[in-house]
Amino acid sequence: MTRFWIIKQLFLVAILVIAVFNTARAVEVIPGELLVKFKTKMTKNLGLDIGKMGMKVDRVIRLSYGDVQVVKLDNPKSSVFSAAKALASRDDVVYAEPNYVWKMVNPVKENNIASIFGSTSDTRDYDLNDQKFSSLWGMKNTGSNDPGGSAGVEGVDIDALRAWDITTGSRNIKIAVIDTGIDYTHPDLKDNMWVNEAEKNGTEGVDDDNNGYVDDIYGYDFANNDGDPRDGHGHGTHCAGTIGATHNNEIGVAGVMNRLQLVALKFLTDSGSGSSEAAIKSIDYATKLGVDVMSNSWGGGTFSNALEDAIKRASDAGIIFVAAAGNSGTDNDSKPHYPSNYEVENVIAVASHTSEEILSNFSCFGKTSVDIAAPGSNIMSTVSGGGYKSYSGTSMATPHVSGSLGLLVSHIGRLSHVQMRERLLATSEYSPSYVGKTASSGRLNLYNLLVDFRPERPWEPGEDDWKSVVLDEVFESKHPYLDNTVSKRTITVPGAKLIRVRVKKFELENRFDYILVKDKNDTLIEKVSGLGEDYATDYIEGDTVKLEFRSDKSYTKWGFVIEKVEAIFEIPEN
């Protein structure tokens, strides 16, 4: 099944609302600030023009792929959305947008577990002597070791022990944890931290390696603009522990990888929020460093060109970008969550599942926009100050996937993003619990991923199984179509078990004008936008498909033509 979705994003809105991350999608911004990418270099005349608009360039973000300007409004109480719209209308502007606020995907449950240093080991099971390993149901689910007390199902885990018989990682692999930082002194993490030796052995206050950052020994703090990315919150440290806590050191937990280099990139403050500016700087730092994986347990409610651009540059560099799907329990296909919803090849979106083989009740999902589920409920890991706590969230699921892809790269080397995603999804453990909730209909299995074992799945149609059904009447727009168009068509093919739409051609304003594809119960299956020819939508069970074309009041383009649908009339028994 193709992972394709295009979403309509209301980029310019009239009202600023405060984001509450675990509930509804909302937008929060840095007051009076815009991020602007110009097509040309900044000149005196350009500066004067902006000044006449009640704005000025405050500072420049120097990125490896070009400069982005931080523009401030003369009146900080003015609408940044209106200002962005005015700037974006200029011919010399690539994009202009508010400096958005992003937040960690807040743990939805927190069990305080005291630091266990000096205590007696509570397990010697599974040939590991890490004291809290028996609480890591995500690594080895016994059916009774969920620290939250849930009645788990034995074997619903990532199959880590068999995977570790193959490899436990390599110090050549670097994973950037882009979050609230990492407690790099934590006894379970300190041996797996990336260390910038030039800065560590250099002169304090001097950029010894000439990379533009002073004293960045373990990474960098873009929230406070200094070289110390130490975690004052605990969220980033928790994620880091799941990825790479040291094995067999007689303390604490064990990460998915035993050997690697964790790069601490702090762009979220100790209160858990950060700006687009800090986010793109963090991603660019990790890209220039050449990390293998970026782990991102954070998000927000709106589309950002600046953030998408940074992720694309990481993709061009061959770096996987793993992102939490979000904790609001909603469908990301219809209510997008960023950065997990970006349609960039390297983005892997992760949902959370429980020890009982079901999707966590808080987890966002999406048949096309969320790739895979991973353990995320009641996950024990490291926190700042040398201790351990159990958190729940897609934040906790994400590092399971980040570490697993890091382990795969250490074992076989880098794959293309398309190959990496295909392998990750195809080797997942299928369960009806995830059907229609993730693109893979499955959960992470690390052993399968390493050996490329692909469990049998229910029958999926191949291209040769589809039969064309020519429509009695073509469904198409005017060419070009008009503003504020709404047109609908219901198509029924008697006897069909599965049905999909074949769009002959579409040329629509991307993310603003689109074709909705729904089933007979009005459940949204897919949104089609942008450009394409001879495109087959995702399929629908049953004999009926509902189509709806919508355009907004702005730009209009050529439109679309649908001349036929395709159907399958018999489904083989497994």
Side-chain angles (χ1 to χ4, degrees):
M1 202 180 300
T2 32
R3 183 183 188 268
F4 179 86
W5 73 97
I6 300 289
I7 49 80
K8 176 176 174 68
Q9 175 56 50
L10 299 176
F11 174 64
L12 301 172
V13 296
I15 300 173
L16 172 63
V17 289
I18 300 301
V20 180
F21 194 87
N22 291 327
T23 55
R25 301 280 191 264
V27 179
E28 187 177 353
V29 302
I30 303 298
E33 288 192 357
L34 304 175
L35 299 186
V36 184
K37 188 174 183 63
F38 291 98
K39 294 179 182 177
T40 59
K41 290 184 178 180
M42 179 58 59
T43 63
K44 183 178 179 180
N45 287 337
L46 182 54
L48 289 173
D49 282 351
I50 295 171
K52 292 175 183 177
M53 299 174 72
M55 314 174 199
K56 64 180 179 182
V57 174
D58 183 70
R59 56 191 181 274
V60 181
I61 306 173
R62 306 285 184 190
L63 302 170
S64 59
Y65 50 89
D67 294 346
V68 174
Q69 315 286 333
V70 179
V71 172
K72 279 200 169 185
L73 308 186
D74 293 343
N75 181 358
K77 293 183 180 180
S78 298
S79 168
V80 291
F81 299 100
S82 297
K85 184 176 182 180
L87 267 178
S89 67
R90 294 176 58 98
D91 292 338
D92 51 7
V93 170
V94 179
Y95 63 76
E97 65 186 35
N99 191 3
Y100 292 112
V101 170
W102 304 87
K103 295 176 180 277
M104 65 181 183
V105 181
N106 290 322
V108 297
K109 180 179 180 181
E110 177 176 323
N111 298 326
N112 292 328
I113 307 296
S115 173
I116 49 79
F117 297 120
S119 66
T120 303
S121 172
D122 61 8
T123 183
R124 294 281 173 172
D125 294 339
Y126 324 127
D127 297 320
L128 287 175
N129 62 23
D130 302 271
Q131 291 175 322
K132 287 291 177 183
F133 184 77
S134 64
S135 296
L136 304 184
W137 70 263
M139 307 293 182
K140 175 66 176 179
N141 190 343
T142 66
S144 59
N145 63 329
D146 185 322
S150 296
V153 176
E154 185 175 359
V156 175
D157 52 48
I158 68 169
D159 206 358
L161 297 179
R162 284 205 299 166
W164 293 336
D165 284 339
I166 299 170
T167 179
T168 60
S170 166
R171 285 288 293 173
N172 293 325
I173 302 300
K174 294 191 287 288
I175 296 183
V177 179
I178 302 175
D179 209 284
T180 60
I182 300 176
D183 179 0
Y184 46 79
T185 66
H186 196 295
D188 237 354
L189 299 174
K190 60 184 179 66
D191 292 338
N192 280 336
M193 293 302 304
W194 171 73
V195 178
N196 186 342
E197 296 292 347
E199 295 289 348
K200 183 179 181 180
N201 300 311
T203 304
E204 186 176 352
V206 174
D207 180 12
D208 299 285
D209 60 352
N210 296 311
N211 70 345
Y213 300 100
V214 175
D215 297 335
D216 53 325
I217 298 173
Y218 300 104
Y220 201 78
D221 179 355
F222 290 99
N224 299 296
N225 293 313
D226 62 53
D228 186 6
R230 189 160 182 167
D231 185 5
H233 181 279
H235 188 265
T237 300
H238 196 279
C239 295
T242 295
I243 294 170
T246 304
H247 294 197
N248 281 314
N249 58 355
E250 299 186 342
I251 59 171
V253 294
V256 176
M257 298 184 73
N258 180 40
R259 292 181 295 164
L260 79 159
Q261 298 179 71
L262 292 162
V263 182
L265 291 173
K266 179 173 182 172
F267 94 96
L268 301 173
T269 65
D270 291 343
S271 63
S273 65
S275 67
S276 289
E277 177 184 3
I280 63 177
K281 286 179 178 178
S282 298
I283 294 168
D284 191 54
Y285 183 104
T287 302
K288 289 189 289 187
L289 187 60
V291 303
D292 298 280
V293 179
M294 298 181 189
S295 190
N296 302 273
S297 293
W298 51 275
T302 197
F303 177 89
S304 163
N305 286 284
L307 187 54
E308 183 185 47
D309 207 12
I311 295 169
K312 283 181 177 177
R313 302 300 172 170
S315 181
D316 293 343
I319 301 167
I320 292 288
F321 189 95
V322 186
N327 288 352
S328 60
T330 50
D331 187 346
N332 288 356
D333 286 359
S334 56
K335 294 183 178 179
H337 169 275
Y338 295 100
S340 65
N341 259 74
Y342 282 118
E343 192 184 356
V344 184
E345 281 189 343
N346 64 334
V347 176
I348 301 292
V350 184
S352 168
H353 75 78
T354 73
S355 62
E356 300 172 276
E357 186 69 298
I358 58 174
L359 206 68
S360 303
N361 59 9
F362 54 79
S363 181
C364 289
F365 56 92
K367 185 177 181 180
T368 60
S369 58
V370 177
D371 292 298
I372 194 168
S377 290
N378 303 318
I379 303 301
M380 183 75 69
S381 189
T382 51
V383 291
S384 300
Y388 300 85
K389 291 182 181 178
S390 175
Y391 290 167
S392 295
T394 54
S395 281
M396 288 62 253
T398 298
H400 280 90
V401 175
S402 300
S404 295
L405 292 176
L407 203 61
L408 178 64
V409 175
S410 75
H411 182 51
I412 65 170
R414 288 192 182 186
L415 299 172
S416 73
H417 299 321
V418 172
Q419 291 173 313
M420 184 81 79
R421 173 179 285 106
E422 190 277 333
R423 181 162 173 159
L424 177 69
L425 273 58
T427 59
S428 66
E429 287 287 346
Y430 170 86
S431 171
S433 300
Y434 316 120
V435 173
K437 302 295 185 181
T438 67
S440 64
S441 298
R443 57 176 170 82
L444 173 67
N445 185 297
L446 177 56
Y447 175 78
N448 290 353
L449 180 65
L450 293 185
V451 301
D452 200 18
F453 174 73
R454 295 155 184 256
E456 184 177 344
R457 279 172 153 70
W459 179 80
E460 289 280 352
E463 287 303 310
D464 293 338
D465 297 310
W466 294 95
K467 308 299 181 185
S468 289
V469 179
V470 178
L471 300 180
D472 293 335
E473 182 182 352
V474 174
F475 182 42
E476 65 180 318
S477 66
K478 292 184 177 181
H479 308 295
Y481 54 86
L482 303 176
D483 288 340
N484 297 322
T485 296
V486 178
S487 58
K488 300 180 180 181
R489 174 73 62 86
T490 297
I491 300 167
T492 299
V493 179
K497 304 298 183 184
L498 304 174
I499 188 172
R500 71 182 185 184
V501 177
R502 177 70 68 171
V503 186
K504 181 178 181 180
K505 179 180 178 181
F506 60 98
E507 183 178 334
L508 310 173
E509 185 188 3
N510 196 25
R511 298 195 305 272
F512 293 92
D513 302 332
Y514 46 86
I515 304 165
L516 297 175
V517 181
K518 302 179 181 180
D519 67 13
K520 64 181 180 181
N521 298 316
D522 288 319
T523 301
L524 179 65
I525 303 300
E526 185 173 339
K527 289 184 177 181
V528 179
S529 189
L531 301 173
E533 292 185 4
D534 195 32
Y535 173 70
T537 67
D538 200 357
Y539 63 79
I540 296 170
E541 294 184 7
D543 62 358
T544 300
V545 58
K546 293 183 176 180
L547 301 175
E548 183 176 331
F549 172 63
R550 288 184 172 271
S551 66
D552 67 356
K553 186 178 180 180
S554 58
Y555 300 103
T556 59
K557 295 197 173 185
W558 181 83
F560 71 93
V561 174
I562 298 173
E563 296 178 339
K564 62 184 178 181
V565 295
E566 295 173 331
I568 290 175
F569 295 92
E570 293 184 11
I571 297 178
E573 294 183 5
N574 285 330

